[in-house]
Amino acid sequence: MKVSYFPGCTLKTKAKELDIYARRSAEALGVTLEEIENWQCCGGVFTTSNDEIATKLSSIRALKAAGDKGQPLVSVCSACHNVLKQTNAQFNNDADFAFRVNNYVKPDEYNGETKVIHYLELLRDVVGFDKIKEKVVNPLTGKKIAAYYGCLLLRPGKVMAMDDVENPTIMEDFIRAIGGEPVIYAYRNECCGGYITMESKELAAAKSKKVSENAKEKGAELIVTACPLCKYNLDKHAEDIPVVYITELLAEALGVKE
Amino acid sequence: MENKQNVCNEIIRRSGVNPRKCMKCGKCSGTCPAYDEMEYHPHQFVYMVETGDIEPLLKSKSIYRCLSCFACIDRCPRGVEPAKIVEAVRLEVVRQQGNNHLKPNDLPEMLDVDLPQQAIVSAFRKYTK
Ligand code: SF4
Ligand code: SF4
């Protein structure tokens, strides 16, 4: 099966592991990630105001490119996924916004029908965690792994609709599928500080520390994330505990890492 | 005075938020990860925009402290979505000429080898127009 893929700027630069292992693992599971042509950076964060047009055009173009091929649009980076999905929702809920952005893609307009799915949803809903379990050759047996959702994978819950926004299970189920032991801790869906690291290192440090301290306290040996900025903040400002990308663990478990 | 009300009306329109739905329970502020660094908290943004008390917000550093974590959106029991008001107030400031909060010249000293592009583009998206 083929799906459209939006890697995003960070996966081409500082988070190459997130990208490379996503492609390799998907391939091993029978899914080809087809990078859409001429994609542009999503901007990293969604601007909620309904009169913001220009900053959402890159998402609209990506959504349209996938829609033209009749494929769902998959991304791995939590931030790209969040921006694409929120933009798609705004397009579908706000006719004035849809009209305005379509002025920039005319004459061939976007119809709002592209399905936006995160890589984890691809694993859960398209491939299936059971099938992944069967394909695991190096199970992470006994490894205590803390899933870090952060903000962008889940919120706003009404729009992202990936999982229960306060009691998610998708990452823990993923960890089980690759043989690991998920660690549940309170801060798994609290903010790491995000881009505030550019504005106040102290605030980013305080937020990240709470996350990693809490994960360690609950016995985690490792934190997994799908977000390059979460990884950065945790690595930079927080407790001494390894933080790895979901795709890297998956590739390792599937035996396609090297 | 009238002008202040116009600014508030525009902020309300742009955000799509109805501040009158707020019951002032403070849950948004209680869950806000930036609470300690904010002079005005999310529930105060909602109330101050509703009542036309906009000037203190436009001048406050609090508009640059929101992390866009959307926690207040999901945890408000009345569906007010305070983060959208905070953003609409910030846009009122940074959209004006000369008011960019982050400038390209500030960047070199902020960079380190691990800093992901995502941090830079996100900060520009929030602090600069
Ligand atoms: S949580 Fe909602 S209802 Fe409560 S103070 Fe905040 S905006 Fe108002
Ligand atoms: S979105 Fe902003 S205002 Fe709302 S809880 Fe998060 S940091 Fe606070």
Side-chain angles (χ1 to χ4, degrees), chain A residues 35-70:
Chain A
E35 185 168 329
I36 56 171
E37 275 177 39
N38 300 324
W39 57 268
Q40 296 162 304
C41 172
C42 73
V45 271
F46 181 72
T47 305
T48 52
S49 286
N50 51 30
D51 61 356
E52 276 270 311
I53 303 295
T55 52
K56 292 164 185 167
L57 293 174
S58 71
S59 294
I60 294 292
R61 292 189 179 115
L63 290 160
K64 183 172 179 312
D68 288 348
K69 287 188 175 175

Side-chain angles (χ1 to χ4, degrees), chain A residues 1-3 26-27 29-33 71-72 117 122 126-127:
Chain A
M1 151 178 212
K2 288 180 177 165
V3 296
E27 214 50 70
L29 295 165
V31 181
T32 302
L33 302 180
Q71 294 174 343
I117 56 176
L122 181 79
V126 178
V127 177

